[in-house]
Amino acid sequence: MPDQTLDPYTQDLYDKVASLRKEVANLRTAYLSADRQLNAMSQLADKTTSDAVRETIVAEEFVRLALESAQAAHQAAKILGNPALIEVTHHCLTVSQEALDYASASTSINADRQTKGGS
């Protein structure tokens, strides 16, 4: 019966790929959650502006965290040198940056509404 153990290098690569797979799954969950929050924020016109600003700041920080996670996953993929994984994590990185840009704009809009008296 062949030996079922992996050499340390292969095991380390396997562990990294498994970790990256979990990270990508977590990012997907984070993106879905951020998307729900951002969609809900777009309907905040009737809420008080201070509440809206607080909520958008929280969402922006959440998206910023997702961007940092995407950057870490992309760096790890580049270290592994797996072209398919690099491509997927680059896509996640791009989407995360777009989400952060959107969340930052939303925060600015709500903050501007508050300084203008909620109009």
Side-chain angles (χ1 to χ4, degrees):
M1 182 168 189
D3 188 31
Q4 296 294 325
T5 60
L6 300 173
D7 63 270
Y9 178 77
T10 305
Q11 183 64 49
D12 186 48
L13 285 177
Y14 177 78
D15 292 343
K16 286 178 183 176
V17 169
S19 176
L20 286 172
R21 186 173 176 195
K22 287 179 186 176
E23 184 67 29
V24 170
N26 289 339
L27 285 172
R28 182 178 188 281
T29 301
Y31 294 138
L32 292 174
S33 177
D35 184 55
R36 282 192 300 273
Q37 288 180 359
L38 291 171
N39 286 333
M41 281 186 288
S42 69
Q43 299 173 3
L44 289 176
D46 295 334
K47 272 194 162 186
T48 65
T49 54
S50 61
D51 288 342
V53 171
R54 272 195 297 273
E55 288 181 9
T56 56
I57 289 171
V58 168
E60 182 179 350
E61 289 304 313
F62 177 73
V63 174
R64 190 178 314 279
L65 179 62
L67 176 61
E68 290 178 18
S69 296
Q71 288 169 335
H74 185 60
Q75 249 339 71
K78 288 185 346 186
I79 290 169
L80 288 173
N82 181 325
L85 192 55
I86 291 170
E87 182 180 340
V88 169
T89 57
H90 182 267
H91 177 71
C92 288
L93 187 58
T94 302
V95 171
S96 296
Q97 184 60 57
E98 291 171 358
L100 180 60
D101 294 344
Y102 180 84
S104 296
S106 181
T107 299
S108 296
I109 289 167
N110 281 314
D112 189 47
R113 277 185 23 213
Q114 184 175 13
T115 58
K116 292 181 181 176
S119 58

